[in-house]
Amino acid sequence: MLSNIRYPDDLRKLKVDQLPQVCDELREDIVKELSVNPGHLASSLGVVELTVALHYVFNTPDDRIVWDVGHQAYGHKILTGRREQFKTNRKLHGIRPFPSPEESPYDSFVCGHASNSISAALGMAVAQNLRGETDGTDRKVVAVIGDGAMSGGLAFEGLNNVSSSPNDMLIVLNDNNMSIDLSVGGMKQYLLGLNTNETYNALRFKVSQWLRAKGMLQEDRRKGLIRLTNAIKSAISQQQNIFEGMNIRYFGPFDGHNVKELVRILRQLKDMKGPKLLHLHTKKGHGYAPAEDYTPVWHAPGKFDPETGELIKSDTKNQPAKFQQVFGETLLELAQQNDKIVGVTPAMPTGCSMNIMMQAMPERTFDVGIAEGHAVTFSAGMAKDGLQPFCNIYSAFAQRAYDNIIHDVAILRLPVVLCLDRAGLVGEDGPTHHGAFDLAFLRPIPNLTVCSPLNEHELRRMMFTAQLPDMGPFVIRYPRGGGVLKDWHCPLEPIEVGTGQKLRDGEDVAVLSIGPIGNDVAKALEGTTAAHYDMRFLKPLDERILHEVGEKFRRIVTVENGVRTGGLGSAVLEWMSDHGYAPQVVRLGLPDSFVEHGTVAELQKIVGLDAESIRKAVMGPNA
């Protein structure tokens, strides 16, 4: 049946009784493809029925479906003209890893990060209200948000305005008690306990329709009646509904895996005036037994046998450990020596390996949910009263906490260690996840120390240094995946802040790099006469090295796994100008554009950060 569905128009020609078969085939398609072309599995399986029901009831793409985090949108891609192209998902020049309006009109908004759907959908709904009467459209707007994303502050800001701005939007709360790791916090407990009577909601809906037909339910009166009935229901049930307390009609919770029932409910809600929220209970990995017994590995499992669910693991026995593993084990080692150390992560304990300390010291580790700004300010509060927080945030997500870093950490020079995981190019997750900007946006902030380790030994030493007394705010950035040292254990020793290291002497040209990209530089310089310096610190810069380079070399090449604009290259140019040196400076880094998705090796070649490109830049145009 799925082979006859190219677009949602084809889906809408089917009878409701045929939809369960469509769901089964769609789920089978996702499992089969992701078993050989890895991606985000469990989230998409959990919303198959919801995806089918939404496209069946709503007139997409004219009606807007705004997904919150594209992990769950694979079924949506398959149903909207991309089934044949789905085998290229996350591959270089293939379809994008997350929905994007630049790829399809069915993708109404970009959604690589969590918690933005309600705000974006509200903007669309208000635009429809303002323009609908003049252009004759009657566009419906739906936001689909998970319980994990609902923990983000932006979601609550959006909810607050939903209740005060004229709109008819529908919010679908996909409640699976999961984000990537288990959902946490008060919202999780609230949603688990929330139970509003379906019969009551159905009766109330019918009464409101009758009153509106009789002309007795104008907007002011409607809001007043909502407040009155909410108060009565709260008194009877002894339970306050947070959504209805904000004048957002609440329906649910319902079974999110009953596609025929979902169609019935969505048809009822489709033309209802005013904002409303549909609460669905779903299960990540639903319909595929290995993923139903959910562990975080099934969020993005890599290759697996679709018949047995057995994960196909590559041989890593003789491979260096991942930077994440080194971070996790080193953090526990430091915490065992320093009882002030605490760990903080916004919903990524497994991904960043803070689960290692979490298992050993649960009372000293805090998963705050998908709330990066809160993670930083929460860490600042603990630092203000004597603790030493290590706050681990993926680089691309740290952008969401920029004000918190400045206002709540840097101004007071609080001893918060920000560990920015997934820095630089991350590969197949593409532009929403590349850690491209952290070096550039952190460099101007006073009181920060910003550094990046060349290898695992350097990471351990930087972490040790960061927790020493009077270090203030300390930022350590490192990439996703493996390092370069098979034996990464080393003594925990301090590094003098603001010092780099000369890796090789040379003539003619000096190459200045920061972070693990320096290992690619070292390969590129084999057989050349170029000097190579690992700067280690972007802030403060090693001025001894810069004086040496400025006096000796007329040509400098800087290399960084971040945007060229504002990063290490810009810092070196500024310093040279300020100190009267005038060398030719060639800056290698990410371009002033968003880099697509693909393997890290493919992307490095495209942006000129592979060993061959670095070597050509070092040798110069006349080489």
Side-chain angles (χ1 to χ4, degrees), residues 420-448:
L420 300 188
D421 198 341
R422 271 69 169 177
L425 294 170
V426 298
E428 292 84 353
D429 281 340
T432 59
H433 282 59
H434 293 316
F437 306 106
D438 55 83
L439 290 175
F441 72 63
L442 291 172
R443 188 168 70 91
I445 301 176
N447 292 339
L448 289 192

PDB file of all heavy atoms in Angstrom, residues 420-448:
ATOM      1  N   LEU A 420      32.431  21.701  26.166  1.00  0.00           N
ATOM      2  CA  LEU A 420      31.642  21.757  24.941  1.00  0.00           C
ATOM      3  C   LEU A 420      31.979  20.553  24.073  1.00  0.00           C
ATOM      4  O   LEU A 420      32.992  20.506  23.377  1.00  0.00           O
ATOM      5  CB  LEU A 420      31.920  23.066  24.194  1.00  0.00           C
ATOM      6  CG  LEU A 420      31.603  24.344  24.974  1.00  0.00           C
ATOM      7  CD1 LEU A 420      31.725  25.557  24.071  1.00  0.00           C
ATOM      8  CD2 LEU A 420      30.214  24.288  25.609  1.00  0.00           C
ATOM      9  N   ASP A 421      31.112  19.578  24.145  1.00  0.00           N
ATOM     10  CA  ASP A 421      31.221  18.333  23.385  1.00  0.00           C
ATOM     11  C   ASP A 421      30.761  18.582  21.945  1.00  0.00           C
ATOM     12  O   ASP A 421      30.074  19.563  21.655  1.00  0.00           O
ATOM     13  CB  ASP A 421      30.329  17.291  24.068  1.00  0.00           C
ATOM     14  CG  ASP A 421      30.646  15.876  23.672  1.00  0.00           C
ATOM     15  OD1 ASP A 421      31.279  15.673  22.631  1.00  0.00           O
ATOM     16  OD2 ASP A 421      30.233  14.961  24.418  1.00  0.00           O
ATOM     17  N   ARG A 422      31.120  17.691  21.024  1.00  0.00           N
ATOM     18  CA  ARG A 422      30.700  17.784  19.615  1.00  0.00           C
ATOM     19  C   ARG A 422      31.111  19.109  18.983  1.00  0.00           C
ATOM     20  O   ARG A 422      30.374  19.687  18.178  1.00  0.00           O
ATOM     21  CB  ARG A 422      29.204  17.598  19.470  1.00  0.00           C
ATOM     22  CG  ARG A 422      28.724  16.173  19.286  1.00  0.00           C
ATOM     23  CD  ARG A 422      28.893  15.314  20.495  1.00  0.00           C
ATOM     24  NE  ARG A 422      28.164  14.034  20.338  1.00  0.00           N
ATOM     25  CZ  ARG A 422      28.193  13.065  21.231  1.00  0.00           C
ATOM     26  NH1 ARG A 422      28.901  13.212  22.340  1.00  0.00           N
ATOM     27  NH2 ARG A 422      27.520  11.952  21.018  1.00  0.00           N
ATOM     28  N   ALA A 423      32.284  19.616  19.336  1.00  0.00           N
ATOM     29  CA  ALA A 423      32.763  20.861  18.745  1.00  0.00           C
ATOM     30  C   ALA A 423      33.298  20.590  17.342  1.00  0.00           C
ATOM     31  O   ALA A 423      33.859  19.539  17.067  1.00  0.00           O
ATOM     32  CB  ALA A 423      33.851  21.480  19.619  1.00  0.00           C
ATOM     33  N   GLY A 424      33.125  21.566  16.460  1.00  0.00           N
ATOM     34  CA  GLY A 424      33.582  21.410  15.082  1.00  0.00           C
ATOM     35  C   GLY A 424      32.580  20.644  14.239  1.00  0.00           C
ATOM     36  O   GLY A 424      31.384  20.554  14.572  1.00  0.00           O
ATOM     37  N   LEU A 425      33.042  20.081  13.141  1.00  0.00           N
ATOM     38  CA  LEU A 425      32.175  19.319  12.246  1.00  0.00           C
ATOM     39  C   LEU A 425      31.769  18.006  12.921  1.00  0.00           C
ATOM     40  O   LEU A 425      32.617  17.265  13.418  1.00  0.00           O
ATOM     41  CB  LEU A 425      32.899  19.015  10.932  1.00  0.00           C
ATOM     42  CG  LEU A 425      33.233  20.224  10.055  1.00  0.00           C
ATOM     43  CD1 LEU A 425      34.153  19.802   8.909  1.00  0.00           C
ATOM     44  CD2 LEU A 425      31.960  20.866   9.510  1.00  0.00           C
ATOM     45  N   VAL A 426      30.460  17.719  12.927  1.00  0.00           N
ATOM     46  CA  VAL A 426      29.985  16.493  13.571  1.00  0.00           C
ATOM     47  C   VAL A 426      29.567  15.430  12.572  1.00  0.00           C
ATOM     48  O   VAL A 426      29.318  14.292  12.945  1.00  0.00           O
ATOM     49  CB  VAL A 426      28.812  16.782  14.528  1.00  0.00           C
ATOM     50  CG1 VAL A 426      29.246  17.707  15.642  1.00  0.00           C
ATOM     51  CG2 VAL A 426      27.616  17.355  13.779  1.00  0.00           C
ATOM     52  N   GLY A 427      29.461  15.787  11.289  1.00  0.00           N
ATOM     53  CA  GLY A 427      29.143  14.775  10.300  1.00  0.00           C
ATOM     54  C   GLY A 427      27.708  14.788   9.850  1.00  0.00           C
ATOM     55  O   GLY A 427      27.165  15.829   9.452  1.00  0.00           O
ATOM     56  N   GLU A 428      27.050  13.623   9.930  1.00  0.00           N
ATOM     57  CA  GLU A 428      25.774  13.393   9.259  1.00  0.00           C
ATOM     58  C   GLU A 428      24.612  14.192   9.818  1.00  0.00           C
ATOM     59  O   GLU A 428      23.570  14.294   9.161  1.00  0.00           O
ATOM     60  CB  GLU A 428      25.440  11.886   9.295  1.00  0.00           C
ATOM     61  CG  GLU A 428      26.356  11.016   8.455  1.00  0.00           C
ATOM     62  CD  GLU A 428      27.651  10.617   9.166  1.00  0.00           C
ATOM     63  OE1 GLU A 428      27.912  11.126  10.270  1.00  0.00           O
ATOM     64  OE2 GLU A 428      28.391   9.796   8.594  1.00  0.00           O
ATOM     65  N   ASP A 429      24.716  14.739  11.024  1.00  0.00           N
ATOM     66  CA  ASP A 429      23.608  15.525  11.581  1.00  0.00           C
ATOM     67  C   ASP A 429      23.514  16.920  10.977  1.00  0.00           C
ATOM     68  O   ASP A 429      22.518  17.616  11.170  1.00  0.00           O
ATOM     69  CB  ASP A 429      23.728  15.629  13.105  1.00  0.00           C
ATOM     70  CG  ASP A 429      23.253  14.359  13.797  1.00  0.00           C
ATOM     71  OD1 ASP A 429      22.505  13.590  13.167  1.00  0.00           O
ATOM     72  OD2 ASP A 429      23.635  14.131  14.951  1.00  0.00           O
ATOM     73  N   GLY A 430      24.548  17.354  10.299  1.00  0.00           N
ATOM     74  CA  GLY A 430      24.443  18.547   9.473  1.00  0.00           C
ATOM     75  C   GLY A 430      24.485  19.882  10.196  1.00  0.00           C
ATOM     76  O   GLY A 430      24.924  19.987  11.347  1.00  0.00           O
ATOM     77  N   PRO A 431      24.016  20.937   9.504  1.00  0.00           N
ATOM     78  CA  PRO A 431      24.243  22.316   9.963  1.00  0.00           C
ATOM     79  C   PRO A 431      23.615  22.660  11.298  1.00  0.00           C
ATOM     80  O   PRO A 431      24.113  23.550  11.985  1.00  0.00           O
ATOM     81  CB  PRO A 431      23.651  23.177   8.831  1.00  0.00           C
ATOM     82  CG  PRO A 431      22.732  22.274   8.087  1.00  0.00           C
ATOM     83  CD  PRO A 431      23.331  20.906   8.201  1.00  0.00           C
ATOM     84  N   THR A 432      22.535  21.995  11.687  1.00  0.00           N
ATOM     85  CA  THR A 432      21.941  22.308  12.987  1.00  0.00           C
ATOM     86  C   THR A 432      22.772  21.763  14.140  1.00  0.00           C
ATOM     87  O   THR A 432      22.577  22.167  15.289  1.00  0.00           O
ATOM     88  CB  THR A 432      20.515  21.738  13.100  1.00  0.00           C
ATOM     89  OG1 THR A 432      20.551  20.310  12.922  1.00  0.00           O
ATOM     90  CG2 THR A 432      19.589  22.345  12.064  1.00  0.00           C
ATOM     91  N   HIS A 433      23.692  20.852  13.844  1.00  0.00           N
ATOM     92  CA  HIS A 433      24.447  20.200  14.908  1.00  0.00           C
ATOM     93  C   HIS A 433      25.955  20.443  14.845  1.00  0.00           C
ATOM     94  O   HIS A 433      26.660  20.116  15.803  1.00  0.00           O
ATOM     95  CB  HIS A 433      24.186  18.688  14.892  1.00  0.00           C
ATOM     96  CG  HIS A 433      22.884  18.300  15.501  1.00  0.00           C
ATOM     97  ND1 HIS A 433      21.674  18.766  15.041  1.00  0.00           N
ATOM     98  CD2 HIS A 433      22.582  17.471  16.552  1.00  0.00           C
ATOM     99  CE1 HIS A 433      20.695  18.249  15.764  1.00  0.00           C
ATOM    100  NE2 HIS A 433      21.221  17.471  16.682  1.00  0.00           N
ATOM    101  N   HIS A 434      26.461  20.975  13.744  1.00  0.00           N
ATOM    102  CA  HIS A 434      27.901  21.287  13.705  1.00  0.00           C
ATOM    103  C   HIS A 434      28.240  22.290  14.811  1.00  0.00           C
ATOM    104  O   HIS A 434      27.552  23.308  14.981  1.00  0.00           O
ATOM    105  CB  HIS A 434      28.298  21.902  12.357  1.00  0.00           C
ATOM    106  CG  HIS A 434      28.196  20.963  11.194  1.00  0.00           C
ATOM    107  ND1 HIS A 434      28.651  19.663  11.244  1.00  0.00           N
ATOM    108  CD2 HIS A 434      27.716  21.135   9.929  1.00  0.00           C
ATOM    109  CE1 HIS A 434      28.444  19.083  10.078  1.00  0.00           C
ATOM    110  NE2 HIS A 434      27.876  19.949   9.266  1.00  0.00           N
ATOM    111  N   GLY A 435      29.311  22.017  15.539  1.00  0.00           N
ATOM    112  CA  GLY A 435      29.759  22.957  16.576  1.00  0.00           C
ATOM    113  C   GLY A 435      30.695  23.985  15.981  1.00  0.00           C
ATOM    114  O   GLY A 435      31.891  24.028  16.305  1.00  0.00           O
ATOM    115  N   ALA A 436      30.140  24.838  15.129  1.00  0.00           N
ATOM    116  CA  ALA A 436      30.964  25.725  14.297  1.00  0.00           C
ATOM    117  C   ALA A 436      31.328  27.041  14.959  1.00  0.00           C
ATOM    118  O   ALA A 436      32.349  27.638  14.618  1.00  0.00           O
ATOM    119  CB  ALA A 436      30.225  26.009  12.982  1.00  0.00           C
ATOM    120  N   PHE A 437      30.543  27.516  15.906  1.00  0.00           N
ATOM    121  CA  PHE A 437      30.619  28.926  16.291  1.00  0.00           C
ATOM    122  C   PHE A 437      31.200  29.201  17.674  1.00  0.00           C
ATOM    123  O   PHE A 437      31.404  30.353  18.036  1.00  0.00           O
ATOM    124  CB  PHE A 437      29.220  29.552  16.199  1.00  0.00           C
ATOM    125  CG  PHE A 437      28.574  29.370  14.854  1.00  0.00           C
ATOM    126  CD1 PHE A 437      27.543  28.466  14.671  1.00  0.00           C
ATOM    127  CD2 PHE A 437      29.025  30.079  13.752  1.00  0.00           C
ATOM    128  CE1 PHE A 437      26.953  28.278  13.430  1.00  0.00           C
ATOM    129  CE2 PHE A 437      28.449  29.917  12.500  1.00  0.00           C
ATOM    130  CZ  PHE A 437      27.413  28.997  12.340  1.00  0.00           C
ATOM    131  N   ASP A 438      31.455  28.164  18.476  1.00  0.00           N
ATOM    132  CA  ASP A 438      31.785  28.419  19.884  1.00  0.00           C
ATOM    133  C   ASP A 438      33.062  29.231  20.063  1.00  0.00           C
ATOM    134  O   ASP A 438      33.120  30.132  20.895  1.00  0.00           O
ATOM    135  CB  ASP A 438      31.852  27.107  20.673  1.00  0.00           C
ATOM    136  CG  ASP A 438      32.814  26.107  20.079  1.00  0.00           C
ATOM    137  OD1 ASP A 438      34.019  26.204  20.354  1.00  0.00           O
ATOM    138  OD2 ASP A 438      32.369  25.222  19.327  1.00  0.00           O
ATOM    139  N   LEU A 439      34.122  28.926  19.298  1.00  0.00           N
ATOM    140  CA  LEU A 439      35.360  29.693  19.456  1.00  0.00           C
ATOM    141  C   LEU A 439      35.127  31.171  19.165  1.00  0.00           C
ATOM    142  O   LEU A 439      35.607  32.048  19.898  1.00  0.00           O
ATOM    143  CB  LEU A 439      36.441  29.145  18.518  1.00  0.00           C
ATOM    144  CG  LEU A 439      37.006  27.764  18.854  1.00  0.00           C
ATOM    145  CD1 LEU A 439      37.963  27.308  17.760  1.00  0.00           C
ATOM    146  CD2 LEU A 439      37.708  27.776  20.208  1.00  0.00           C
ATOM    147  N   ALA A 440      34.359  31.443  18.108  1.00  0.00           N
ATOM    148  CA  ALA A 440      34.129  32.835  17.713  1.00  0.00           C
ATOM    149  C   ALA A 440      33.225  33.569  18.686  1.00  0.00           C
ATOM    150  O   ALA A 440      33.479  34.728  19.018  1.00  0.00           O
ATOM    151  CB  ALA A 440      33.527  32.877  16.302  1.00  0.00           C
ATOM    152  N   PHE A 441      32.169  32.905  19.181  1.00  0.00           N
ATOM    153  CA  PHE A 441      31.246  33.660  20.041  1.00  0.00           C
ATOM    154  C   PHE A 441      31.710  33.727  21.488  1.00  0.00           C
ATOM    155  O   PHE A 441      31.260  34.586  22.250  1.00  0.00           O
ATOM    156  CB  PHE A 441      29.798  33.176  19.907  1.00  0.00           C
ATOM    157  CG  PHE A 441      29.443  31.833  20.501  1.00  0.00           C
ATOM    158  CD1 PHE A 441      29.527  31.567  21.853  1.00  0.00           C
ATOM    159  CD2 PHE A 441      28.906  30.841  19.684  1.00  0.00           C
ATOM    160  CE1 PHE A 441      29.138  30.355  22.393  1.00  0.00           C
ATOM    161  CE2 PHE A 441      28.513  29.625  20.209  1.00  0.00           C
ATOM    162  CZ  PHE A 441      28.641  29.371  21.569  1.00  0.00           C
ATOM    163  N   LEU A 442      32.629  32.865  21.884  1.00  0.00           N
ATOM    164  CA  LEU A 442      33.129  32.929  23.254  1.00  0.00           C
ATOM    165  C   LEU A 442      34.340  33.861  23.405  1.00  0.00           C
ATOM    166  O   LEU A 442      34.579  34.412  24.475  1.00  0.00           O
ATOM    167  CB  LEU A 442      33.513  31.523  23.738  1.00  0.00           C
ATOM    168  CG  LEU A 442      32.361  30.541  23.949  1.00  0.00           C
ATOM    169  CD1 LEU A 442      32.903  29.148  24.231  1.00  0.00           C
ATOM    170  CD2 LEU A 442      31.449  30.991  25.084  1.00  0.00           C
ATOM    171  N   ARG A 443      35.080  34.036  22.340  1.00  0.00           N
ATOM    172  CA  ARG A 443      36.332  34.811  22.426  1.00  0.00           C
ATOM    173  C   ARG A 443      36.145  36.237  22.932  1.00  0.00           C
ATOM    174  O   ARG A 443      36.994  36.748  23.690  1.00  0.00           O
ATOM    175  CB  ARG A 443      37.035  34.801  21.059  1.00  0.00           C
ATOM    176  CG  ARG A 443      38.422  35.417  21.085  1.00  0.00           C
ATOM    177  CD  ARG A 443      39.181  35.135  19.804  1.00  0.00           C
ATOM    178  NE  ARG A 443      38.660  35.857  18.656  1.00  0.00           N
ATOM    179  CZ  ARG A 443      39.078  37.054  18.269  1.00  0.00           C
ATOM    180  NH1 ARG A 443      40.007  37.697  18.958  1.00  0.00           N
ATOM    181  NH2 ARG A 443      38.574  37.628  17.198  1.00  0.00           N
ATOM    182  N   PRO A 444      35.066  36.942  22.585  1.00  0.00           N
ATOM    183  CA  PRO A 444      34.951  38.332  23.062  1.00  0.00           C
ATOM    184  C   PRO A 444      34.533  38.478  24.524  1.00  0.00           C
ATOM    185  O   PRO A 444      34.542  39.591  25.049  1.00  0.00           O
ATOM    186  CB  PRO A 444      33.857  38.924  22.151  1.00  0.00           C
ATOM    187  CG  PRO A 444      33.663  37.952  21.045  1.00  0.00           C
ATOM    188  CD  PRO A 444      34.015  36.626  21.604  1.00  0.00           C
ATOM    189  N   ILE A 445      34.153  37.372  25.193  1.00  0.00           N
ATOM    190  CA  ILE A 445      33.574  37.496  26.536  1.00  0.00           C
ATOM    191  C   ILE A 445      34.685  37.642  27.576  1.00  0.00           C
ATOM    192  O   ILE A 445      35.571  36.778  27.686  1.00  0.00           O
ATOM    193  CB  ILE A 445      32.708  36.263  26.867  1.00  0.00           C
ATOM    194  CG1 ILE A 445      31.587  36.108  25.838  1.00  0.00           C
ATOM    195  CG2 ILE A 445      32.115  36.388  28.275  1.00  0.00           C
ATOM    196  CD1 ILE A 445      30.752  34.858  26.030  1.00  0.00           C
ATOM    197  N   PRO A 446      34.680  38.710  28.367  1.00  0.00           N
ATOM    198  CA  PRO A 446      35.688  38.887  29.417  1.00  0.00           C
ATOM    199  C   PRO A 446      35.624  37.757  30.453  1.00  0.00           C
ATOM    200  O   PRO A 446      34.585  37.127  30.653  1.00  0.00           O
ATOM    201  CB  PRO A 446      35.320  40.232  30.048  1.00  0.00           C
ATOM    202  CG  PRO A 446      34.505  40.931  29.004  1.00  0.00           C
ATOM    203  CD  PRO A 446      33.764  39.857  28.275  1.00  0.00           C
ATOM    204  N   ASN A 447      36.724  37.531  31.095  1.00  0.00           N
ATOM    205  CA  ASN A 447      36.865  36.603  32.223  1.00  0.00           C
ATOM    206  C   ASN A 447      36.872  35.129  31.838  1.00  0.00           C
ATOM    207  O   ASN A 447      37.063  34.273  32.707  1.00  0.00           O
ATOM    208  CB  ASN A 447      35.785  36.827  33.293  1.00  0.00           C
ATOM    209  CG  ASN A 447      35.936  38.149  34.012  1.00  0.00           C
ATOM    210  OD1 ASN A 447      37.010  38.738  34.031  1.00  0.00           O
ATOM    211  ND2 ASN A 447      34.846  38.648  34.587  1.00  0.00           N
ATOM    212  N   LEU A 448      36.630  34.789  30.581  1.00  0.00           N
ATOM    213  CA  LEU A 448      36.629  33.379  30.183  1.00  0.00           C
ATOM    214  C   LEU A 448      38.027  32.911  29.832  1.00  0.00           C
ATOM    215  O   LEU A 448      38.817  33.646  29.237  1.00  0.00           O
ATOM    216  CB  LEU A 448      35.741  33.146  28.960  1.00  0.00           C
ATOM    217  CG  LEU A 448      34.223  33.239  29.091  1.00  0.00           C
ATOM    218  CD1 LEU A 448      33.569  32.677  27.832  1.00  0.00           C
ATOM    219  CD2 LEU A 448      33.716  32.507  30.315  1.00  0.00           C
TER     220      LEU A 448
END
